Amino acid sequence: MKSERGQTLAVDRGDKDESIFQALMNAIVEHQLPPGSKLPEEALAEVFGVSRTGIRKVLQRLAAVQMVTLLPRRGAQVATPGVDEARDIFRTRALIECGNLPAVLAHLQPPHLAGLTQRIAQEQQAHEARDGAAAIRLSAAFHIELQAIAGNQVLTELVTRLTQRSSLVIAAWGAPWQQGCRCDDHDRLIAHLRAGNLAALTEALQQHFDHIVSSLHFERSGETLPDFSRLFAGHKEVTS
């Protein structure tokens, strides 16, 4: 009986840790927690209604995927990609995503095209509504879903992580309203997918990444002190 209760508590703690991890990850990816934002354990523990030890575990997970930087005697803060790292992230994405396009075309079916087209329409609506968080989320989803067509789960997970780090790059070095990707670039990709033109599709995707990098302004942005109570309102009750 005690063993079963212990297992239940362990599962509950794991669910709570995952919920907090996802909440912080989403806030970082959607630019609600900009690069350089301090992430004090005490403040986060209070907001989420958990111990500092629990928060520390989550911050270590975020650091392991390079979304958070842990500094000795200074605590945690949202990672700020340097210029070389920023360029390398997009070079790596171009290598992987362009290289996977033959497999994407080989597995492409009409429902895939319909789903991607719908995602672009949603992304455009988010841009028109100036909903930055949604625009970022939908832009990343487009790339992840495109690459997932090939059926390579390992590659899809890698692309997912790289899109998250790309969001950090755009938050650190992008223009004030540079949320996600350019919808017209995505439209061109869909046109080449429909035509099954691998050469044109590969060139368009490479140009897409080149456009993003060329639009970045490599001037360091200032640090901010987030309002955790506003960002994660109500989360304590959910995770308690």
Side-chain angles (χ1 to χ4, degrees), residues 25-26 28-31 65-67 81 85-86 88-94 96-97 133 135-148 154-172 178-181 186 205 208-209 212:
M25 175 66 83
N26 291 341
I28 294 170
V29 169
E30 295 174 2
H31 299 181
V65 293
Q66 298 173 290
M67 300 300 286
E85 181 182 356
D88 286 345
I89 286 170
F90 282 102
R91 287 193 190 104
T92 302
R93 284 191 62 183
I96 293 172
E97 295 184 41
I136 294 165
R137 183 170 60 252
L138 293 164
S139 175
F142 175 88
H143 282 269
I144 295 166
E145 291 170 16
L146 172 62
Q147 298 301 320
V154 173
L155 185 144
T156 303
E157 291 171 357
L158 181 56
V159 170
T160 299
R161 292 302 183 199
L162 285 170
T163 61
Q164 291 166 345
R165 294 180 67 189
S166 298
S167 179
L168 274 179
V169 171
I170 293 172
Q178 185 179 346
Q179 311 288 356
C181 301
H186 288 173
L205 185 55
H208 178 51
F209 290 126
I212 295 172

Side-chain angles (χ1 to χ4, degrees), residues 203-216:
E203 182 180 4
L205 185 55
Q206 180 63 64
Q207 289 177 349
H208 178 51
F209 290 126
D210 291 342
H211 289 161
I212 295 172
V213 173
S214 67
S215 69
L216 298 175

Side-chain angles (χ1 to χ4, degrees), residues 12-234:
D12 289 344
R13 282 197 300 272
D15 289 345
K16 182 181 293 187
D17 288 350
E18 182 62 25
S19 175
I20 297 170
F21 175 85
Q22 290 299 330
L24 287 169
M25 175 66 83
N26 291 341
I28 294 170
V29 169
E30 295 174 2
H31 299 181
Q32 297 177 68
L33 290 173
S37 297
K38 296 180 179 179
L39 302 170
E41 292 176 6
E42 186 174 356
L44 289 171
E46 171 63 24
V47 167
F48 287 109
V50 296
S51 67
R52 290 182 63 176
T53 300
I55 290 295
R56 191 174 302 124
K57 288 168 55 180
V58 171
L59 292 175
Q60 288 169 345
R61 283 183 62 190
L62 288 165
V65 293
Q66 298 173 290
M67 300 300 286
V68 162
T69 302
L70 301 177
L71 303 171
R73 296 182 297 278
R74 293 179 57 190
Q77 64 182 45
V78 177
T80 303
V83 174
D84 290 341
E85 181 182 356
R87 295 184 185 280
D88 286 345
I89 286 170
F90 282 102
R91 287 193 190 104
T92 302
R93 284 191 62 183
L95 285 170
I96 293 172
E97 295 184 41
C98 290
N100 193 45
L101 290 177
V104 169
L105 283 176
H107 291 82
L108 185 66
Q109 298 294 325
H112 296 138
L113 287 169
L116 291 171
T117 301
Q118 181 180 22
R119 190 69 67 207
I120 292 175
Q122 293 169 338
E123 184 184 356
Q124 184 61 50
Q125 290 173 358
H127 277 278
E128 291 172 358
R130 307 288 286 184
D131 186 345
I136 294 165
R137 183 170 60 252
L138 293 164
S139 175
F142 175 88
H143 282 269
I144 295 166
E145 291 170 16
L146 172 62
Q147 298 301 320
I149 293 171
N152 185 330
Q153 184 62 36
V154 173
L155 185 144
T156 303
E157 291 171 357
L158 181 56
V159 170
T160 299
R161 292 302 183 199
L162 285 170
T163 61
Q164 291 166 345
R165 294 180 67 189
S166 298
S167 179
L168 274 179
V169 171
I170 293 172
W173 305 109
W177 179 252
Q178 185 179 346
Q179 311 288 356
C181 301
R182 298 180 356 169
C183 294
D184 53 345
D185 279 2
H186 288 173
D187 282 331
R188 279 191 286 274
L189 292 173
I190 287 288
H192 295 315
L193 278 170
R194 290 188 188 280
N197 189 331
L198 176 60
L201 178 62
T202 303
E203 182 180 4
L205 185 55
Q206 180 63 64
Q207 289 177 349
H208 178 51
F209 290 126
D210 291 342
H211 289 161
I212 295 172
V213 173
S214 67
S215 69
L216 298 175
H217 304 282
F218 290 113
E219 301 169 359
R220 190 165 300 281
S221 52
E223 293 186 359
T224 61
L225 185 61
D227 183 350
F228 296 119
S229 296
R230 179 185 60 80
L231 283 176
F232 305 114

